[in-house]
Amino acid sequence: MTTAIYPGSFDPITYGHLDIIKRSSEVFDKVIVGVLKNQTKNPLFEFEERVEMIREVTKDYSNVEIASYHGLLVDFTKEMNADVIVRGIRAVSDFEYELMMAQTNKQLNPNIETMFFATSSRYSFLSSSTVRELAYFDGDITQFVPEYVSEKVYEKVKKMK
Ligand code: PNS
């Protein structure tokens, strides 16, 4: 049985993330969406809110679970008895950072493989930060995140203004 970790900050989860979750859930026996807790960045959503949104929008995937981690991704991956770290690559611009992360993680734990999914072209420009910014300036984010998430994002940015 192969278990994969799909790690990230998911602030908020987008259709791009969901695309990777769906496709990886078809490849691996189990996919654990790992939500990073100790972010140095200042997130829009509290950790619990991010987890709650992921839970809602992944509820139809029977082999997808959600878990949180703080500290090193390789330690979390080992803790969860996972074999693979999954990351999406949208464009060449992602590659340098992702390669550095994969190689660092491989050095830290040679038993864990990182596997990359090429993001579907329709989401190749999409990021959580774009969604946050669009929503802040009253742009339409409904094509980029599920309705459940867009309502939460609009609510949140309204409180910031
Ligand atoms: O979606 P993101 O924010 O690009 O995800 C980055 C993430 C959370 C996967 C990465 O920053 C992470 O796992 N950090 C935990 C600390 C760690 O393990 N660092 C060593 C890898 S270079």
Side-chain angles (χ1 to χ4, degrees), residues 55-113:
R55 201 173 298 288
E56 175 62 29
V57 300
T58 60
K59 64 181 182 210
D60 293 335
Y61 302 119
S62 58
N63 63 339
V64 173
E65 292 176 11
I66 300 144
S68 67
Y69 70 105
H70 50 86
L72 289 179
L73 176 57
V74 282
D75 292 341
F76 170 63
T77 306
K78 199 172 161 203
E79 228 172 82
M80 303 308 284
N81 285 320
D83 324 279
V84 172
I85 294 168
V86 163
R87 294 284 288 173
I89 294 208
R90 289 168 295 191
V92 175
S93 50
D94 280 341
F95 185 72
E96 221 171 304
Y97 172 66
E98 294 300 333
L99 182 66
M100 178 278 290
M101 200 157 80
Q103 288 175 333
T104 305
N105 288 334
K106 188 78 180 162
Q107 188 77 23
L108 293 173
N109 187 336
N111 297 320
I112 298 170
E113 287 296 344

Side-chain angles (χ1 to χ4, degrees), residues 18-140:
L18 274 172
D19 172 55
I20 304 290
I21 292 170
K22 179 178 182 293
R23 287 162 56 205
S24 55
S25 76
E26 287 160 4
V27 171
F28 302 107
D29 298 301
K30 184 160 93 175
V31 175
I32 300 170
V33 180
V35 188
L36 182 67
K37 214 169 181 177
N38 61 341
Q39 267 185 306
T40 43
K41 334 177 196 174
N42 191 16
L44 177 64
F45 286 98
E46 296 301 326
F47 165 76
E48 291 76 13
E49 295 174 307
R50 286 181 274 140
V51 168
E52 196 265 328
M53 284 187 282
I54 299 168
R55 201 173 298 288
E56 175 62 29
V57 300
T58 60
K59 64 181 182 210
D60 293 335
Y61 302 119
S62 58
N63 63 339
V64 173
E65 292 176 11
I66 300 144
S68 67
Y69 70 105
H70 50 86
L72 289 179
L73 176 57
V74 282
D75 292 341
F76 170 63
T77 306
K78 199 172 161 203
E79 228 172 82
M80 303 308 284
N81 285 320
D83 324 279
V84 172
I85 294 168
V86 163
R87 294 284 288 173
I89 294 208
R90 289 168 295 191
V92 175
S93 50
D94 280 341
F95 185 72
E96 221 171 304
Y97 172 66
E98 294 300 333
L99 182 66
M100 178 278 290
M101 200 157 80
Q103 288 175 333
T104 305
N105 288 334
K106 188 78 180 162
Q107 188 77 23
L108 293 173
N109 187 336
N111 297 320
I112 298 170
E113 287 296 344
T114 297
M115 295 181 72
F116 297 117
F117 278 67
T119 300
S120 299
S121 53
R122 57 201 282 232
Y123 304 125
S124 63
F125 58 89
L126 182 54
S127 69
S128 297
S129 57
T130 304
V131 167
R132 294 196 299 269
E133 186 164 315
L134 276 174
Y136 188 81
F137 293 110
D138 300 320
D140 181 10

Side-chain angles (χ1 to χ4, degrees), residues 140-151:
D140 181 10
I141 59 167
T142 56
Q143 53 190 313
F144 304 136
V145 296
E147 194 183 342
Y148 183 84
V149 175
S150 68
E151 282 171 7

